[in-house]
Structure formats: structure tokens, C-alpha cells
Amino acid sequence: MDPKALHKISYGLYIVASKKGDRLNGQIANTAFQISNDPPTIAVSINKQNLTNEYIRDSKVFAVSVLAQEAPLALIGQFGFKSGRETDKFAGVSYRLTPGGVPYVTGHTLAWLEAEVIQEVDAGTHNIFIGKVRAAEVLKEGIPMTYAYYHQVKRGSVPQTAPVYTPKKDERSVSMDKYVCTVCGYVYDPLLGDPENDIPPDTPFEKLPDDWTCPVCGAGKEEFEKEG
């Protein structure tokens, strides 16, 4: 089987959140999609190891924040590479609560939807939660973030618990070495630099400021290793 065939399936990039009592949590997900229109029904796929999975199973409700294309890597790293068991993911993030008390992110978000779980499907490593949409709102117009844009333009990475995770292959820059973040897998490519942090193209890793950090997870330069 050629796993590259799976890469031809298109995905978006979302923050899926839920609650357990008065506790809130959310995570990055790329599998959120509409199933039917009458009644409006959506589904999300969540890894069983993730805290959000536990919260959705407990509360039977979840919210989906549709990220805008310009959403920064730091926001994606906050919800994609940190554990809600160790940190409050919504700390320092602008958010509001849906009518059902579930958080949705307001910054860099085009729209949000709240859904009540009507069915849960065991999909091995993941649970698929099918929910009836009971509230939704468009916050602003714009272009939604796609999984392809996140990878190809913003050069983001995914955690090993993501449905589409595949081990990275050795890809070397022609003239300068690439460096990989050992925490989240982000690859610093000197030919591209780091525009979000004002690092221009053709900046070698060795020339980065000492206080430069991974744009995804915030790890310091000491957490990077030369690729290959």
C-alpha cells in the first residue's frame, strides 16, 4: 500500500474543545467535517489518549473553532503540542463560551460550532464523535486554514497522536543544514527563515538570536538537532 495516497485527501485545521465540570480543554484536530444537513450534523475524530477525548465522553458536547489561514504557529502549538493535563491551554488565549458552556477561540477564528454528541464510534486509536449542531456563529470572513497550507506554507508539524502523523524522511537543504525541534518536530529551514518571528530567508541556524524559540512549541535553540 502506498500511504501517500492518503495525503491526497484534503483536511482543514480546527480547535476542538470540551469541558468536564468547570474544567476546560481543547486540542488541534484536522478531522472535523459535516455529515448531514437536516438536522445539521458534524463529526470529529479524537485520539483516545488525549484529554479532550475524556472531556467529550464525560460532557457529551464539543465545540469546533474554524481557524483562519493567518492563525500563528504559536496558537497551533498551544493546542497541538501541550498537554491539558499539565497546563491550562486557554491561559492567555482569547475565548468565549458557547451557550452550552464550551470554550471557543475568538482570535484567528472564522466561525465556531457547538454540537451535542448523539453517537460515538470506536475507531481503534481514535473515537469518532458524531454531534448534532445546536449553536453556531460566523465571527469574520476569511480563508480557512487547511492542513496542506499549514504544512507547505507555514511548515508546521503534527504530534504522533494525530490521525495523519507519518515519520519524517531525511530532506536536506541544498546549501545550509536544516534543524529539527526534538520537542514537536518543527523543521527550521534556513532558506525560508522564520517570517512570523522576523527571521529573513537565508539565515543559518547558527545566526539565529540566542533567545529565538520554536515558533510552534516555544522550545529553545538547545532543543534543536541537525536534520539527518
Side-chain angles (χ1 to χ4, degrees):
M1 183 186 79
D2 184 357
K4 291 183 179 179
L6 295 170
H7 298 169
K8 302 304 180 183
I9 300 175
S10 60
Y11 302 90
L13 209 62
Y14 315 92
I15 293 177
V16 176
S18 190
K19 64 176 182 176
K20 185 174 183 180
D22 59 355
R23 291 177 292 174
L24 309 175
N25 193 61
Q27 67 164 77
I28 290 293
N30 68 318
T31 45
F33 51 93
Q34 183 176 354
I35 292 178
S36 64
N37 186 56
D38 188 19
T41 307
I42 60 176
V44 295
S45 178
I46 305 295
N47 191 288
K48 293 178 180 178
Q49 298 178 27
N50 293 354
L51 188 62
T52 303
N53 177 78
E54 176 186 324
Y55 281 22
I56 296 176
R57 299 193 76 189
D58 181 83
S59 66
K60 304 301 181 185
V61 65
F62 62 87
V64 177
S65 300
V66 182
L67 294 179
Q69 184 170 273
E70 70 271 11
L73 286 174
L75 177 64
I76 298 171
Q78 174 82 357
F79 287 91
F81 291 93
K82 295 182 180 180
S83 172
R85 295 182 176 88
E86 302 171 354
T87 183
D88 177 3
K89 292 191 180 182
F90 285 93
V93 176
S94 297
Y95 73 93
R96 295 176 182 168
L97 299 179
T98 67
V102 184
Y104 65 89
V105 176
T106 57
H108 310 290
T109 298
L110 301 182
W112 62 267
L113 306 94
E114 179 194 73
E116 178 184 4
V117 176
I118 58 176
Q119 186 176 353
E120 177 183 331
V121 180
D122 189 325
T125 59
H126 289 64
N127 283 322
I128 299 173
F129 297 101
I130 301 173
K132 178 181 178 180
V133 178
R134 60 188 190 185
E137 179 185 9
V138 174
L139 300 181
K140 66 177 182 177
E141 297 299 326
I143 301 174
M145 174 85 77
T146 65
Y147 184 74
Y149 186 89
Y150 169 65
H151 268 280
Q152 297 169 11
V153 179
K154 301 182 81 68
R155 307 189 320 283
S157 53
V158 298
Q160 295 186 19
T161 54
V164 294
Y165 172 79
T166 53
K168 289 184 177 294
K169 295 183 179 180
D170 184 19
E171 297 176 350
R172 296 177 183 273
S173 172
V174 174
S175 58
M176 290 180 283
D177 291 317
K178 297 179 183 178
Y179 280 76
V180 182
C181 177
T182 58
V183 176
C184 73
Y186 169 82
V187 178
Y188 175 76
D189 186 344
L191 295 181
L192 302 175
D194 178 13
E196 287 192 6
N197 289 307
D198 298 321
I199 303 298
D202 297 322
T203 302
F205 183 82
E206 296 79 3
K207 298 294 185 180
L208 292 174
D210 292 338
D211 60 354
W212 180 86
T213 59
C214 175
V216 176
C217 71
K221 290 178 63 178
E222 68 278 2
E223 299 293 342
F224 279 72
E225 295 180 351
K226 185 183 297 186
E227 189 177 54

